[in-house]
Amino acid sequence: MKKTIASIVMSILSCLLLFANGVKDTGSGKLVFWDKSEYVAAYNKASQARFEQFGKEHNIEIEYVIVPPNDLKQKLLAAIEAGNPPDLVVTDDFLGKQFAGMGQLVDIADINSAINFTKAGRDVAYVSNGNYVIPIALLAPGFYIRSDKWEEKGLKLPTTWQELYETAKIVNDPAHDFYALGYPMGDSGGGDAEGMCRAVILAFGGIPVDKNGRVTVNSKETLEALKFIAKLYKEKLCPPSAITWDDMGNNTAFMAGSVGVIQNAASVFSQLKRENPSLYNKTKIMNYPSGPAGSFTLGGGNVICIFKHGKNTAAAKEYVKYFFDKKFYSDLLIQMGGMWQPTIDGVTDNEFWKRPENAGWLASSQNVVPNTYPAPATDLTTKAFSMQLCVKSVQKIVLKNTDPQQALNELEADLKRVLGQ
């Protein structure tokens, strides 16, 4: 009995000592964080240090695990099946939304109320069934253009799709192994080609699937967009092989200096700076071209998910708020070198984001919409995107000489089949 009383007294004294030193006890149990590995090593180093500091300040045992992105889904499914998921996970928004749709995540409306997320951040994290996904970084693809090639011809850099087409015809030089445009159009499973197709369709005023999830693709606006994309290949403004390129084809071609325009993630820009400084200095990052309906940048982001069957969801929520300390977060973005764009307000008023090489990424990120836009991101709409149905329509027009309206009719039928309409 005396030992029991002594133990209780010691526990009380320990807690009083912790609070006297300003340490906040967040709860019981280990806090487990699975973080996806990043292209820029500085991210995981900074993330782990921040997480460990949180553990010390809050008197909580922590476990930080780095998981390759390609392994993350299967590991999470196995952990859920075993009833032992991590508390926190950082992944891409596509996977995060899948787990939200499966009912595996906690509601984070309180976090949304506590943190001033940007509109683009909220848009990328949006799921139709509630508040479950927390945006920590936008990953806007950039519109890369060889500004030197346009300047050599005395041309202004294009700001619309029509201007891009007209100036590309002037810049194009296949006889010297240079093509103005480097758009991949292979149905290889990647997102570059489908994203480009849908960006043009939206800019022309077409809507593949509307905000209510209804297939609305069959319109004169979409038809004009498909014909526009197809002529970029038919008129050989892109390399002939580009119609079957996968997502690495445009990277390789741009790095080799054989194409003048691509749309891609910031990793290519970082690679240029490191491996080909001369080409880096001739490259400008711009907003996506606009059409009659505006400019649309289809992209995504990294998100935090908190699993409802984790052992310490209360502490997980506290860590998210701790992560978004403005000084830490602003410094982290700078370490990412422009590859991440912010999801919260008040962190871009500094010299880093005013530099020309970074200002383009920031501007592009402010136009980011989810890949399924304006449709909600559901299992079916994301599946339709990943099946690259718009890409396949362009291929039919270019490779099989299918009538564009017939290709559009088939696109409509394919979308309705996938979405069960």
Side-chain angles (χ1 to χ4, degrees):
M1 182 68 178
K2 289 180 179 180
K3 284 186 178 180
T4 302
I5 293 171
S7 298
I8 293 171
V9 170
M10 288 301 293
S11 296
I12 293 171
L13 288 173
S14 295
C15 289
L16 289 173
L17 183 60
L18 288 171
F19 280 100
N21 289 325
V23 177
K24 182 179 178 182
D25 194 342
T26 327
S28 59
K30 182 190 293 185
L31 179 60
V32 180
F33 179 10
W34 287 8
D35 201 355
K36 79 181 181 80
S37 56
E38 275 292 337
Y39 180 84
V40 177
Y43 163 72
N44 291 113
K45 183 178 179 181
S47 177
Q48 181 172 1
R50 184 71 175 169
F51 190 55
E52 290 175 348
Q53 185 65 28
F54 175 83
K56 289 177 184 176
E57 291 183 14
H58 292 74
N59 189 38
I60 187 169
E61 183 182 1
I62 58 100
E63 180 180 317
Y64 180 83
V65 182
I66 300 173
V67 183
N70 291 341
D71 297 339
L72 195 51
K73 181 176 181 178
Q74 291 306 316
K75 286 182 177 294
L76 284 170
L77 289 173
I80 291 168
E81 180 68 22
N84 190 35
D87 300 292
L88 285 160
V89 169
V90 167
T91 184
D92 60 80
D93 65 297
F94 184 81
L95 183 56
K97 291 169 185 176
Q98 288 185 8
F99 284 108
M102 293 166 59
Q104 292 296 322
L105 308 182
V106 301
D107 185 279
I108 47 87
D110 53 335
I111 292 174
N112 282 342
S113 298
I115 299 171
N116 293 321
F117 290 109
T118 63
K119 180 183 182 302
R122 293 194 303 271
D123 286 347
V124 163
Y126 175 78
V127 290
S128 59
N129 60 329
N131 298 283
Y132 296 105
V133 181
I134 306 155
I136 67 167
L138 295 172
L139 305 174
F143 179 82
Y144 292 65
I145 186 165
R146 283 283 302 276
S147 56
D148 62 315
K149 294 291 186 178
W150 266 252
E151 290 166 1
E152 285 173 7
K153 301 291 185 181
L155 300 168
K156 292 194 301 183
L157 297 182
T159 58
T160 69
W161 287 106
Q162 184 61 28
E163 288 176 359
L164 177 64
Y165 167 68
E166 291 172 355
T167 57
K169 289 193 293 183
I170 299 171
V171 171
N172 207 43
D173 190 10
H176 294 92
D177 196 29
F178 182 82
Y179 292 84
L181 309 177
Y183 290 122
M185 201 53 59
D187 58 339
S188 59
D192 287 2
E194 185 74 6
M196 181 269 184
C197 287
R198 293 196 182 208
V200 176
I201 289 170
L202 290 167
F204 274 59
I207 298 175
V209 182
D210 71 12
K211 64 181 181 180
N212 298 313
R214 293 184 303 112
V215 175
T216 53
V217 73
N218 206 334
S219 67
K220 60 180 176 45
E221 291 85 2
T222 303
L223 179 61
E224 289 307 308
L226 290 178
K227 291 194 290 188
F228 176 85
I229 299 168
K231 72 182 178 182
L232 304 181
Y233 301 89
K234 287 191 170 186
E235 297 183 17
K236 294 183 172 52
L237 300 178
C238 296
S241 59
I243 193 67
T244 57
W245 276 354
D246 62 16
D247 278 5
M248 285 303 297
N250 57 342
N251 302 35
T252 302
F254 197 86
M255 289 293 297
S258 61
V259 298
V261 168
I262 62 169
Q263 289 163 204
N264 215 296
S267 56
V268 176
F269 205 53
S270 297
Q271 187 179 1
L272 272 179
K273 187 175 185 179
R274 184 175 63 253
E275 298 179 10
N276 195 338
S278 175
L279 186 55
Y280 173 87
N281 291 327
K282 299 172 184 175
T283 301
K284 186 171 183 181
I285 305 298
M286 299 174 60
N287 276 338
Y288 273 34
S290 63
S295 174
F296 297 85
T297 304
L298 272 70
N302 280 353
V303 300
I304 297 178
C305 300
I306 301 175
F307 281 79
K308 67 180 182 182
H309 296 302
K311 302 299 188 291
N312 206 339
T313 56
K317 286 190 172 186
E318 287 301 315
Y319 176 69
V320 171
K321 297 171 188 176
Y322 186 84
F323 175 87
F324 279 109
D325 172 81
K326 284 190 175 179
K327 184 179 186 313
F328 166 76
Y329 184 66
S330 178
D331 289 345
L332 180 62
L333 292 174
I334 291 171
Q335 289 182 70
M336 294 301 292
M339 289 184 62
W340 278 20
Q341 301 90 43
T343 59
I344 65 172
D345 290 321
V347 293
T348 60
D349 188 19
N350 54 55
E351 288 302 314
F352 177 82
W353 291 109
K354 292 175 184 176
R355 296 175 194 162
E357 65 269 29
N358 299 322
W361 292 112
L362 184 60
S364 183
S365 73
Q366 292 166 350
N367 289 330
V368 167
V369 294
N371 288 329
T372 61
Y373 182 85
T378 65
D379 285 348
L380 293 180
T381 57
T382 52
K383 179 181 179 182
F385 181 89
S386 66
M387 289 177 69
Q388 297 181 287
L389 300 177
C390 295
V391 170
K392 291 172 183 176
S393 296
V394 173
Q395 286 188 332
K396 289 174 184 177
I397 298 169
V398 176
L399 296 176
K400 298 181 180 179
N401 206 29
T402 302
D403 176 75
Q405 183 61 61
Q406 177 60 33
L408 178 54
N409 293 344
E410 293 174 8
L411 172 58
E412 179 185 38
D414 288 339
L415 282 169
K416 285 184 173 181
R417 175 177 49 80
V418 174
L419 296 179
Q421 297 177 20

